[in-house]
Amino acid sequence: MRMEKTVERIEKIISIESISKEIKGRNILKNVSFDILRGEILALVGPNGAGKTTTVRCLSGIFNIDSGVINKMEGLDISVMPEKDFFWEKYTGWKNIKICFDYFKGILTREKIEYYINMLGLSGFLTKKVYTYSKGTKRKLSFVLALLSDPDLLILDEPMSGLDPLSRKNMRNLILELNEDGKSILLTSHDLAEVEKLADRVIVMKDGKILVDNLINDTLSKYKSLEDLFFDIVGRN
Ligand SMILES: Nc1ncnc2c1ncn2[C@@H]1O[C@H](COP(=O)(O)OP(=O)(O)OP(=O)(O)O)[C@@H](O)[C@H]1O
């Protein structure tokens, strides 16, 4: 994980205390607790079905929690890039951006939006209708839409799925830039090499529970890579 960065580890912007969520009679989240700290890039990893997206949905208010508490700092602006893209598919990329831009009353300048679009290599696609986009291009548009509210906390649910290697690198650089500009970031990913490059802290989930919280370089240094640690911890539990 990133060695060179000093994160202010004091200010909790979100505190999740023992949340549980049942869906269709199954306990999907079981007493999940963790904090999100200002200025950090926090990654949530875990096998398929671990409960990462459910956690994100509880945080963003799409799901109500059955028990526990989510304390958010007052005035905190949160934006979510959902796992499943949501667009007006019959409109062009530009029109989708315009609708969200107007909704957020143009908080971001046009220059800034164009910068994001160029960083992600999206400019050539925006005059085309969204239903014609590939999976990766949709992810890039979804990312831009999530940025239009200029949030304090950006929640990215598998932002890089379907992206080619160059697009991944560009998105990674943009995430790092956004973080340097002061945004806190929570992301989920299956790409552990990518997580190692991005995250300040990693949480490992499985079966609706947290196996490891606060995974930082000290713990990781005992392993060759985050992937090795993941196989060890997830395999044992
Ligand atoms: N709407 C739903 N109806 C029924 N089961 C659901 C629903 N949403 C989630 N689940 C179940 O909850 C569990 C956790 O799913 P979730 O999508 O949160 O996991 P995940 O860690 O994000 O997985 P993945 O890595 O595959 O995206 C899974 O067993 C899933 O089948």
Side-chain angles (χ1 to χ4, degrees):
M1 280 173 286
R2 293 192 295 158
M3 301 291 285
E4 75 280 7
K5 184 161 166 247
T6 327
V7 176
E8 181 51 71
R9 292 190 179 275
I10 295 164
E11 195 180 359
K12 296 177 186 176
I13 53 172
I14 295 195
S15 169
I16 296 151
E17 294 168 13
S18 199
I19 62 166
S20 295
K21 175 72 187 167
E22 188 180 298
I23 303 176
K24 295 178 184 155
R26 275 182 59 215
N27 290 326
I28 304 298
L29 297 183
K30 302 158 190 164
N31 296 315
V32 169
S33 301
F34 64 95
D35 299 321
I36 304 175
L37 308 177
R38 182 180 294 286
E40 73 174 342
I41 300 184
L42 173 61
L44 208 50
V45 304
N48 293 128
K52 303 179 297 294
T53 294
T54 306
T55 304
V56 164
R57 288 181 176 162
C58 290
L59 271 177
S60 59
I62 295 172
F63 282 166
N64 292 321
I65 50 176
D66 297 322
S67 59
V69 185
I70 299 177
N71 283 314
K72 294 178 186 165
M73 210 187 70
E74 214 179 304
L76 185 76
D77 286 321
I78 303 174
S79 183
V80 182
M81 175 183 176
E83 186 191 27
K84 289 202 179 80
D85 296 311
F86 175 83
F87 302 117
W88 293 270
E89 295 259 347
K90 288 183 184 166
Y91 293 159
T92 63
W94 271 124
K95 177 101 177 177
N96 275 265
I97 290 174
K98 176 82 169 64
I99 292 169
C100 291
F101 179 81
D102 290 345
Y103 179 82
F104 292 113
K105 301 188 171 61
I107 296 173
L108 287 189
T109 60
R110 200 184 160 95
E111 288 71 37
K112 196 136 205 189
I113 297 168
E114 279 173 359
Y115 177 73
Y116 295 152
I117 288 167
N118 290 330
M119 270 292 277
L120 294 169
L122 194 56
S123 46
F125 297 92
L126 291 177
T127 54
K128 298 187 172 77
K129 294 195 171 159
V130 171
Y131 68 81
T132 66
Y133 287 11
S134 68
K135 186 181 174 194
T137 306
K138 283 185 175 171
R139 290 270 82 191
K140 294 173 195 173
L141 179 62
S142 199
F143 196 112
V144 172
L145 297 188
L147 287 170
L148 292 173
S149 62
D150 197 21
D152 305 311
L153 171 65
L154 191 55
I155 300 180
L156 307 169
D157 198 353
E158 296 193 28
M160 296 189 184
S161 66
L163 259 58
D164 65 69
L166 181 60
S167 301
R168 255 164 211 261
K169 182 165 168 257
N170 292 338
M171 191 178 281
R172 183 198 317 143
N173 287 339
L174 181 54
I175 292 172
L176 292 170
E177 269 186 32
L178 290 162
N179 181 242
E180 268 159 34
D181 286 350
K183 295 195 192 307
S184 310
I185 291 162
L186 170 68
L187 62 90
T188 77
S189 179
H190 289 296
D191 185 336
L192 300 179
E194 201 59 65
V195 166
E196 267 193 87
K197 289 181 192 136
L198 275 169
D200 302 304
R201 196 159 68 93
V202 178
I203 290 175
V204 185
M205 281 185 88
K206 188 181 173 185
D207 293 334
K209 288 184 283 201
I210 291 185
L211 296 185
V212 184
D213 185 7
N214 213 15
L215 176 55
I216 49 174
N217 283 306
D218 277 357
T219 328
L220 187 59
S221 64
K222 300 187 184 93
Y223 293 86
K224 271 204 316 245
S225 65
L226 180 59
E227 191 181 65
D228 276 10
L229 179 147
F230 184 90
F231 292 150
D232 184 21
I233 289 173
V234 172
R236 265 194 282 130
N237 286 276

